[in-house]
């Protein structure tokens, strides 16, 4: 991710709660990322969607952790499922879903606002 940020690409991160200590320590190592990253919190978010250049999407279950991404070794990883696709209809649908939450369209009917420390809308 760091290479694309250096090229001037903006990064959006939508997550359910404040990140843990490991994330924060890693994040602090890259001050150039601070100005390129937009973050929003939504306690209802559980999906994992990554959109790359509006042309490719990852849609799956893996959390962005070592175990979730398979970086802890063959015997220490989670069992995950996901797809990486460049099929325009799937990429558009995933991007629309992500954008609807990012822009707060789902907030009006949300029943968890009491747990939303950083309200989108």
């Amino acid at each position: 991710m760091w290479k694309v940020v250096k090229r001037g690409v903006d990064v959006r991160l939508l997550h359910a709660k404040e990140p843990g200590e490991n994330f924060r320590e890693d994040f602090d190592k890259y001050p150039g990322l601070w100005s390129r990253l937009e973050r929003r919190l939504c306690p209802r978010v559980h999906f994992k969607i990554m959109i790359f250049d509006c042309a490719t999407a990852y849609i799956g279950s893996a959390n962005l952790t070592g175990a979730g991404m398979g970086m802890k070794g063959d015997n220490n990883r989670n069992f995950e499922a996901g797809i990486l696709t460049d099929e325009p209809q799937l990429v558009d649908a995933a991007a629309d879903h992500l954008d609807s939450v990012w822009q707060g369209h789902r907030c009006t009917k949300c029943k968890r606002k009491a747990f939303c420390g950083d309200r989108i809308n």
Side-chain angles (χ1 to χ4, degrees), residues 17-32:
K17 61 182 181 176
E18 286 294 335
E21 183 178 336
N22 289 340
F23 177 94
R24 290 191 309 269
E25 285 177 9
D26 285 343
F27 182 76
D28 288 346
K29 294 176 187 175
Y30 301 98

Side-chain angles (χ1 to χ4, degrees), residues 7-111:
R7 287 194 338 244
V9 172
D10 291 324
V11 176
R12 288 182 174 174
L13 178 61
L14 176 63
H15 48 115
K17 61 182 181 176
E18 286 294 335
E21 183 178 336
N22 289 340
F23 177 94
R24 290 191 309 269
E25 285 177 9
D26 285 343
F27 182 76
D28 288 346
K29 294 176 187 175
Y30 301 98
L33 181 59
W34 303 347
S35 65
R36 307 292 325 169
L37 178 72
E38 291 181 80
R39 283 189 332 125
R40 293 201 173 157
L41 299 174
C42 174
R44 302 293 300 263
V45 168
H46 193 260
F47 60 79
K48 284 69 173 188
I49 296 175
M50 294 179 227
I51 308 293
F52 307 96
D53 295 329
C54 298
T56 305
Y58 167 79
I59 307 162
S61 65
N63 289 327
L64 297 177
T65 63
M69 300 306 286
M71 298 182 332
K72 288 220 169 185
D74 289 341
N75 299 318
N76 293 339
R77 61 178 66 176
N78 295 343
F79 303 121
E80 305 287 357
I83 62 167
L84 183 66
T85 182
D86 61 0
E87 173 61 42
Q89 289 179 316
L90 289 175
V91 174
D92 289 349
D96 288 348
H97 183 61
L98 178 61
D99 284 344
S100 73
V101 177
W102 181 268
Q103 294 171 7
H105 297 302
R106 310 255 177 137
C107 295
T108 57
K109 296 180 182 177
C110 181
K111 304 279 188 209

Side-chain angles (χ1 to χ4, degrees), residues 42-44 107 110-119 121:
C42 174
R44 302 293 300 263
C107 295
C110 181
K111 304 279 188 209
R112 305 240 342 136
K113 288 183 183 178
F115 301 97
C116 191
D118 186 20
R119 271 197 202 161
N121 191 359

